[in-house]
Amino acid sequence: MPYLTTTGAARRTCGGERLGFGVPGYAHPLLAPTEWAELVRPGTPLHWAVLNIADGPGSRPDPHCLEAAGRLRNARERALHGEAPDDSVRAAGGRLLGHLDLAFGNRPFGELIADARSFLDWYRVGGFYLGRCPAERAELPAVRRLTSTLHTLLEGSDSGDEGGRLVLGHGTHPYPGYAETADQLVTFRGPWADYRWSQVAQWTADYPPERFAHFVHGVPRTHLDEAMRIARWQGAGTIFFTDRDDHHGQTDPFAALPSYWDEIVSRIGPGISE
């Protein structure tokens, strides 16, 4: 298999480096109450989850999203500052990230900053997920300008997450310079049929696993072990695998829980956001 035969290209993770979940964006909390409740279940190894309302923060604060954001923020506080922070059954400790749609570089800078301010003011997010982020070298200066400004906004916010977290949602391996503009890059987003034969870019070996995330849909339950093995071999520290796909009327396979959620949680084990 290509992910096993690529020489010198992967930063392989050892068994002691635990995977965790990044949730690209569940459906609205009113439509997916179980999904949002699972994010704060004790022991869920959550790194972060994305809040996306109409490809951004929406036009006004949403009471259901405010409630979901508060629960996740409180769970993170308990996980980080609880009486037994090393307890293996502690609450989830993931950050809530606001979704900013870059439209592959076609969104005006001012619109993106306005969306970011709304996320911070209304939902006190602990960072941002930059969806449909461009991957080409020519777009790097614009993305660098945006992430620099977002870092400044996060540092001046009262979200409770010092410095915040920025994730670039490329969905593929970008020009290497993007690795210096954010905390984490999504270097794969797609179907299992492509993932199981994928190869990792050589430059990623210069960075630790917590810098990369993989989102894979259509992963059969019987191939979960193989999928996690690929993620570790390719040096991804954050994952979201689901058996849902983009067929049969499902426009977003990542909007709901996979049927094997409990199983994959138990395989990864309890954890806390880095």
Side-chain angles (χ1 to χ4, degrees):
M1 294 183 182
Y3 70 88
L4 294 178
T5 57
T6 302
T7 58
R11 180 183 177 88
R12 302 171 185 126
T13 66
C14 68
E17 293 175 322
R18 181 173 292 150
L19 292 172
F21 295 122
V23 179
Y26 282 149
H28 188 280
L30 187 62
L31 302 176
T34 300
E35 280 75 3
W36 285 93
E38 283 295 310
L39 296 182
V40 297
R41 187 176 73 171
T44 300
L46 179 68
H47 289 170
W48 46 263
V50 177
L51 178 63
N52 185 10
I53 311 164
D55 292 326
S59 58
R60 62 181 62 85
D62 183 294
H64 301 285
C65 294
L66 286 170
E67 182 181 0
R71 287 199 302 266
L72 191 59
R73 191 164 52 248
N74 290 338
R76 178 171 171 79
E77 284 297 311
R78 291 194 303 270
L80 294 176
H81 307 297
E83 294 181 359
D86 295 325
D87 186 352
S88 63
V89 295
R90 61 185 175 265
R95 299 174 190 260
L96 182 67
L97 307 182
H99 182 278
L100 302 177
D101 182 9
L102 271 61
F104 302 111
N106 292 317
R107 287 284 305 284
F109 176 83
E111 287 185 8
L112 292 166
I113 296 303
D115 281 355
R117 291 185 185 276
S118 294
F119 270 121
L120 288 169
D121 292 344
W122 299 341
Y123 303 108
R124 296 178 60 199
V125 296
F128 297 101
Y129 179 86
L130 280 57
R132 298 200 293 171
C133 186
E136 298 77 18
R137 182 175 183 176
E139 301 292 339
L140 178 57
V143 174
R144 183 183 291 119
R145 177 193 178 203
L146 175 62
T147 57
S148 177
T149 304
L150 293 175
H151 271 304
T152 300
L153 290 177
L154 287 164
E155 289 171 356
S157 73
D158 64 348
S159 67
D161 275 309
E162 184 177 352
R165 187 167 186 81
L166 299 181
V167 179
L168 302 185
H170 305 287
T172 188
H173 287 98
Y175 176 73
Y178 282 93
E180 303 302 325
T181 66
D183 301 291
Q184 193 172 55
L185 312 180
V186 179
T187 53
F188 187 94
R189 179 176 180 137
W192 167 243
D194 293 340
Y195 189 60
R196 67 184 311 189
W197 300 108
S198 63
Q199 296 190 43
V200 65
Q202 290 186 350
W203 62 263
T204 63
D206 295 331
Y207 298 90
E210 60 263 25
R211 300 298 303 280
F212 302 103
H214 292 171
F215 301 148
V216 190
H217 60 77
V219 181
R221 180 190 300 270
T222 53
H223 288 276
L224 270 179
D225 282 339
E226 182 183 358
M228 286 190 284
R229 190 161 56 247
I230 295 172
R232 289 190 172 98
W233 190 269
Q234 293 195 1
T238 302
I239 62 168
F240 192 86
F241 297 155
T242 179
D243 52 348
R244 296 178 180 273
D245 55 36
D246 53 2
H247 305 309
H248 308 104
Q250 298 181 88
T251 57
D252 184 358
F254 301 112
L257 290 172
S259 66
Y260 43 64
W261 173 254
D262 287 340
E263 181 176 348
I264 193 171
V265 167
S266 66
R267 290 193 187 199
I268 293 178
I272 191 169
S273 177
E274 63 284 338

